[in-house]
Amino acid sequence: MTMQERYVSELGPDDRAAFFQRDAGIESIRSDVREIVDRVREEGDVAVREFTERFDDVSVGNLEITDECGRAYDALEDDLLEAIETAVANVEEFHEAQLPEDWRESFAPGRELGRRFRPIDRVGVYVPGGNAAYPSSAIMGIVPAVVAGVEHVSVVTPPADQLNPVTLAAIHAAGADAVYSVGGAQGIAALAYGTESVTRAQKIVGPGNRWVTAAKAEVRGDVAIDFLAGPSEVLVVADDTADPELIASELIAQAEHDPNASVVAITDDEETGSKIVEALTDQTSEREREETIRAALSNDASGVLVARSMSEAILFAESYAPEHLSVIADDDEAVLERIDSAGSVFLGPATPVAAGDYASGTNHVLPTNGGARVTGGLSVETFLRSTTVQRLSESGLEDLGDTIMTLATAEGLEGHAASVRKRLDRD
């Protein structure tokens, strides 16, 4: 791995495109995914089992494994169980604080308006798995839905000859109602359209590989989704007070997710930039996933950048709109105040992104590819629908009557105007 710091002012159009035009990389597989989705929609469990055997090399009998999750929870070692329960409790506490209250107020005599919130009935959560362990993704997807009051939370997770017991236990602890051993595009299709075994969802959430993401893009419109997420991202904004060793460890932590991860540090201090590069070189060889880390650090969307000023660094951060934003600076609050677009923010040297990934309480299912410019991460609101409510008295309608009838007539909607005249006895 050969890396050196680069200057923001010297980035060319291609360099900037690599940083600012990231995508989920799904277009090349959309046609293959469409075939999978169509087959599952038409053939149900038969297609699910066929694709599971083809892609996962596992023959699945009973797709539902809800009871197996309960048994994994009961058999889990005490230290793992305690960690899961602590994470669940913290995520619950943070998301309970997000619950909105119904309200209704008088905006004028005789005009009462309000808003109420109700949970979606059926939600599907994708939990990456198979032989790997992703208990944190189970917690982040399921807990907000449960807190929101969703009536039925279904989970799909990839099959394996031996499913990871930690992931299964976390699914149980988080409160899923039904769990199915099916992953990939076929898992998303099963949730979107339902099968003989899998309950159809009204909304699908959760991270996955590009096949999962492409399937979410394919079914969007027939079912609601959270967003289309690509590989993991982190942007660290630092000044000369930051410890380069900590910054390097933050970049490496996200780089170990995926060779296509985008990991960036930007600083207004040239010496700090040089030391970050040195620390990356030293630390990478110490990590178990060294090959993946090196690939991520070497891709065009990663790098250590030196800005001419903190203002230039902040402008870069705002344009980048990262999934994870770490701010390690003398006045981190002042830096944050000037950045609006970020999925989740981590302030100060004692706040690693890993805290939010696992147990601080915030959600780690976050927008990537610049999605933070227009949306936030998974939250209680993801699983709620809102309804406006209004009540007019006769005098309240009298006050609004001329306004309503004038505008309705201007739009050529005479029936709208008539519906008011009838109530006001003006016919």
Side-chain angles (χ1 to χ4, degrees):
M1 178 185 69
T2 301
M3 175 180 281
Q4 61 182 31
E5 65 273 24
R6 292 184 283 171
Y7 294 87
V8 175
S9 60
E10 297 177 0
L11 296 177
D14 290 343
D15 298 320
R16 290 185 172 273
F19 283 118
F20 300 142
Q21 297 176 20
R22 311 175 304 278
D23 65 57
I26 62 174
E27 289 308 315
S28 63
I29 59 172
R30 281 293 291 270
S31 61
D32 292 333
V33 167
R34 186 173 299 118
E35 179 185 348
I36 294 169
V37 168
D38 289 344
R39 286 276 312 279
V40 172
R41 176 167 47 188
E42 294 167 6
E43 301 173 27
D45 284 353
V46 170
V48 168
R49 289 191 173 93
E50 178 185 324
F51 289 126
T52 296
E53 188 157 1
R54 183 194 306 180
F55 299 131
D56 299 301
D57 198 25
V58 177
S59 296
V60 177
N62 187 3
L63 295 178
E64 185 170 352
I65 56 168
T66 311
D67 291 343
E68 189 173 342
C69 292
R71 290 192 294 271
Y73 177 88
D74 292 338
L76 201 64
E77 297 94 328
D78 289 344
D79 60 337
L80 284 169
L81 187 60
E82 182 179 0
I84 286 172
E85 293 289 3
T86 297
V88 168
N90 290 349
V91 173
E92 280 180 342
E93 183 178 31
F94 178 73
H95 287 78
E96 284 170 355
Q98 301 172 15
L99 283 166
E101 293 186 0
D102 295 356
W103 59 271
R104 207 180 296 187
E105 296 180 10
S106 177
F107 282 76
R111 177 156 54 98
E112 181 182 87
L113 310 176
R115 198 173 184 214
R116 67 175 191 172
F117 301 88
R118 297 294 183 268
I120 297 169
D121 293 331
R122 302 182 310 280
V123 164
V125 178
Y126 189 92
V127 175
N131 294 310
Y134 292 100
S136 60
S137 292
I139 294 167
M140 298 297 174
I142 298 165
V143 169
V146 173
V147 170
V150 172
E151 183 177 330
H152 188 89
V153 180
S154 298
V155 171
V156 295
T157 191
D161 290 328
Q162 181 62 52
L163 287 166
N164 190 282
V166 184
T167 300
L168 298 184
I171 291 171
H172 178 81
D177 295 296
V179 188
Y180 305 98
S181 183
V182 52
Q186 60 271 22
I188 296 299
L191 286 174
Y193 303 110
T195 71
E196 297 87 338
S197 299
V198 181
T199 300
R200 183 173 185 173
Q202 295 167 302
K203 190 168 193 175
I204 300 172
V205 304
N209 62 22
R210 65 189 186 124
W211 290 83
V212 170
T213 304
K216 287 169 74 175
E218 195 64 32
V219 303
R220 182 172 51 179
D222 293 331
V223 63
I225 66 168
D226 46 3
F227 39 74
L228 302 177
S232 188
E233 305 169 354
V234 65
L235 173 65
V236 182
V237 177
D239 64 11
D240 61 355
T241 68
D243 183 345
E245 296 284 341
L246 292 183
I247 297 171
S249 70
E250 196 66 86
L251 299 183
I252 287 171
Q254 293 307 307
E256 72 176 349
H257 275 296
D258 190 313
N260 296 311
S262 178
V263 295
V264 182
I266 185 166
T267 177
D268 62 348
D269 181 68
E270 186 173 1
E271 183 178 359
T272 299
S274 297
K275 289 183 176 180
I276 294 169
V277 172
E278 293 175 9
L280 283 169
T281 301
D282 293 341
Q283 292 181 32
T284 297
S285 60
E286 301 171 357
R287 302 277 72 85
E288 292 181 2
R289 295 174 64 83
E290 179 182 352
E291 185 176 343
T292 299
I293 293 166
R294 289 185 183 280
L297 291 174
S298 300
N299 77 45
D300 291 340
S302 297
V304 177
L305 303 177
V306 178
R308 289 168 294 189
S309 65
M310 185 52 69
S311 290
E312 185 176 55
I314 287 168
L315 286 171
F316 181 94
E318 179 62 28
S319 297
Y320 186 89
E323 177 190 20
H324 305 99
L325 172 66
S326 172
V327 182
I328 306 178
D330 183 51
D331 193 348
D332 49 29
E333 292 286 356
V335 173
L336 176 61
E337 184 64 27
R338 297 171 62 189
I339 301 174
D340 296 324
S341 302
S344 190
V345 179
F346 303 80
L347 296 174
T351 316
V353 171
D357 284 343
Y358 293 106
S360 67
T362 59
N363 206 292
H364 81 201
V365 182
L366 302 165
T368 63
N369 311 325
R373 298 186 193 99
V374 295
T375 191
L378 219 61
S379 67
V380 164
E381 288 91 338
T382 304
F383 303 99
L384 296 175
R385 49 210 158 118
S386 66
T387 303
T388 54
V389 181
Q390 54 199 285
R391 181 192 296 277
L392 301 181
S393 67
E394 290 183 7
S395 63
L397 180 58
E398 183 73 48
D399 289 341
L400 289 175
D402 288 340
T403 299
I404 298 168
M405 289 187 289
T406 298
L407 290 172
T409 300
E411 292 186 353
L413 300 176
E414 188 275 334
H416 283 62
S419 72
V420 175
R421 285 197 303 272
K422 286 286 186 185
R423 288 170 167 80
L424 297 178
D425 278 335
R426 295 192 187 177
D427 281 345

